[in-house]
Amino acid sequence: MAKEKKEKDGVVDSVKVAAERFFQQNKGNIYDKVDEPYVVSTGVVPLDLELGGGIPSGILVRLLGVPTSGKSSEGLLIIKNFLETRKRARALIIPTEARLTEKLRNRSGVKFVEKPEDWVNGTCLILPMNVYEKLASFIYTLVKTNEMHKPDNRENFIFMVDSMDYLTLESDLEKDFHEARKVAGPQYLTKILWSKLALPFMAGQHIFLAISQQSAAPKIDARAKDPLRQGGSSGGTNIQYQSSLVIDFSLRYEGDYILADETEKYDPEKNDKIGHVVKAVIRKSDVERYDVKFEYSVKYGRTGGNSVWIERDLVNVLKDWHLITGAGSWYTMDADLVKEIRVFSPEFPEKLQGINAWYEVLTNDRKVLEFLINKFKEIYASTK
């Protein structure tokens, strides 16, 4: 009562005054205006479902894994979906490992440019550089410059460093190869970089993809699986604290390959490998999905961002739910499901010979594919 009376009598609230003065003096450093958030599909249906739709904007995403595990391809798929779904959007990729080959570019479906004058909305600029200070300054300048535009003219950016392991300080570049030295590791560089970018990225609703290698402990038995060390990935203990989303891609084994005829043994001439299954784990997310395993199929030879073999994954789910059943070499779809599909696709078959025939049907009929994806989401949501 006494405190309330003093305030009514005109006594100054010194705490409030101090706070107002601080906010006024530091308004250029306070991010109190946040652009409209959005979600970008990962291009992988099981992952989108676990994340509640896809990658949320304004965050740092860490993609971990050993070489050839799928992390770079997934990063490019996210970039493709980002550029296709955001109205005013540009991407920047920093291939520090120099592995952005022509084959990978064609497979990604991303429209790449190599000159700044060609960098417009809907494209991804390639910046082949590994000098940490220069890259960090350039990214920060882009984000801060964008803040000065009116809300209707602001753009969304997505940045991808592939990988953080190959970033180096400018001072380290000047040292001789024979000189004994301790260089700055990726965990330190990530910490410094994101400590400066976190708030601007949140305010501008940009996305940062940090690709990192996963190191494995030595093994004595050459045939044994690689025992990945806990925290052995670049980024160290900073991973779980700085990243809003961490996806750990697993090492590929012989059993993960997809053969032309999945019922027969591998033969390089008669039954070759036509794809493989990517296995990964969500280590951390903002939707409280921790240590959640998921997998998806990749088919070789596809370009334009269509490497993920969604058709195969959907057929396998339908088989698991007994909506497609097999008898000998024939596979039959549930009659009620077929009836739903024939409303908009009258010629859709009910029975096909060979499981590959179902893959082909879904590949050639995008409307049915989209219908089944939505059906899959509905059934999945009802089980949660």
Side-chain angles (χ1 to χ4, degrees):
M1 293 294 293
K3 182 178 180 181
E4 291 180 3
K5 186 175 187 304
K6 287 183 179 179
E7 289 179 349
K8 290 178 181 179
D9 291 341
V11 177
V12 175
D13 186 337
S14 57
V15 174
K16 184 186 296 185
V17 171
E20 290 175 349
R21 183 180 298 117
F22 180 85
F23 270 63
Q24 181 63 30
Q25 293 174 346
N26 296 278
K27 58 183 179 181
N29 296 315
I30 296 175
Y31 293 88
D32 57 344
K33 295 180 180 179
V34 179
D35 289 345
E36 192 69 26
Y38 54 90
V39 172
V40 175
S41 171
T42 65
V44 176
V45 175
L47 181 55
D48 279 351
L49 292 173
E50 295 292 352
L51 298 178
I55 305 287
S57 57
I59 67 169
L60 167 64
V61 179
R62 178 79 73 162
L63 303 178
L64 312 171
V66 296
T68 73
S69 58
K71 54 191 184 301
S72 297
S73 295
E74 173 56 28
L76 290 172
L77 187 53
I78 294 171
I79 288 177
K80 174 181 178 292
N81 291 332
F82 171 85
L83 293 175
E84 289 180 348
T85 56
R86 300 304 299 162
K87 185 177 180 181
R88 297 176 57 83
R90 304 190 209 201
L92 176 70
I93 185 169
I94 299 100
T96 61
E97 294 186 10
R99 292 181 180 175
L100 189 61
T101 63
E102 193 65 31
K103 182 178 180 180
L104 188 57
R105 296 188 200 186
N106 293 334
R107 197 170 67 209
S108 71
V110 176
K111 185 178 180 180
F112 292 101
V113 296
E114 299 181 354
K115 299 178 181 179
E117 57 265 33
D118 298 328
W119 195 26
V120 295
N121 286 323
T123 64
C124 178
L125 177 64
I126 302 172
L127 180 56
M129 178 186 284
N130 66 343
V131 183
Y132 166 78
E133 295 94 337
K134 295 183 182 298
L135 290 172
S137 178
F138 179 51
I139 292 173
Y140 186 74
T141 299
L142 289 175
V143 172
K144 295 298 290 184
T145 301
N146 189 59
E147 286 180 8
M148 295 186 290
H149 297 161
K150 294 181 179 180
D152 292 342
N153 293 326
R154 287 180 192 150
E155 301 180 31
N156 294 129
F157 296 117
I158 186 168
F159 302 93
M160 174 169 150
V161 178
D162 189 11
S163 69
M164 298 296 295
D165 306 74
Y166 284 76
L167 285 179
T168 183
L169 294 174
E170 192 169 10
S171 58
D172 290 331
L173 286 175
E174 299 171 358
K175 297 177 181 178
D176 294 332
F177 285 103
H178 67 271
E179 183 180 350
R181 67 194 190 280
K182 181 179 180 181
V183 299
Q187 61 268 31
Y188 170 75
L189 297 182
T190 304
K191 181 178 180 180
I192 299 302
L193 177 66
W194 197 240
S195 65
K196 193 169 184 178
L197 291 178
L199 283 173
F201 264 63
M202 178 273 298
Q205 295 301 307
H206 310 299
I207 298 175
F208 194 101
L209 304 177
I211 311 295
S212 300
Q213 297 289 354
Q214 179 86 311
S215 59
K219 61 182 180 180
I220 298 175
D221 185 354
R223 296 168 296 180
K225 291 185 177 182
D226 289 292
L228 297 181
R229 289 197 297 264
Q230 186 70 23
S233 54
S234 59
T237 56
N238 291 317
I239 290 173
Q240 60 266 38
Y241 299 119
Q242 294 183 309
S243 308
S244 296
L245 176 62
V246 179
I247 301 176
D248 191 351
F249 290 80
S250 305
L251 184 66
R252 190 189 311 164
Y253 299 104
E254 192 65 29
D256 295 329
Y257 285 104
I258 302 170
L259 305 180
D261 184 348
E262 298 181 50
T263 63
E264 299 292 334
K265 293 182 179 181
Y266 167 69
D267 185 297
E269 295 182 358
K270 298 180 180 179
N271 194 27
D272 202 2
K273 301 169 182 176
I274 61 172
H276 68 269
V277 175
V278 177
K279 296 179 180 179
V281 182
I282 301 173
R283 296 297 182 192
K284 177 187 177 185
S285 73
D286 284 342
V287 290
E288 298 182 336
R289 304 299 287 159
Y290 300 96
D291 295 323
V292 176
K293 296 180 180 180
F294 67 95
E295 61 181 53
Y296 59 96
S297 306
V298 169
K299 187 173 184 181
Y300 302 151
R302 285 186 169 183
T303 59
N306 296 305
S307 293
V308 175
W309 201 351
I310 298 177
E311 301 87 346
R312 180 180 184 273
D313 293 335
L314 281 175
V315 169
N316 285 338
V317 169
L318 292 172
K319 286 169 61 182
D320 291 340
W321 291 341
H322 304 292
L323 294 174
I324 288 183
T325 54
S329 62
W330 289 90
Y331 290 85
T332 305
M333 184 176 285
D334 177 77
D336 291 335
L337 183 57
V338 172
K339 187 177 180 180
E340 288 185 64
I341 294 173
R342 284 180 176 172
V343 171
F344 58 90
S345 183
E347 303 300 320
F348 189 79
E350 183 176 354
K351 180 187 294 186
L352 291 171
Q353 187 172 21
I355 199 66
N356 287 342
W358 280 111
Y359 302 160
E360 187 175 349
V361 164
L362 297 186
T363 300
N364 296 329
D365 196 330
R366 305 307 293 182
K367 284 187 177 181
V368 173
L369 180 65
E370 292 176 6
F371 168 81
L372 288 175
I373 289 175
N374 292 329
K375 191 77 174 179
F376 175 66
K377 291 179 179 178
E378 290 176 9
I379 297 174
Y380 181 88
S382 67
T383 62
K384 288 297 182 179

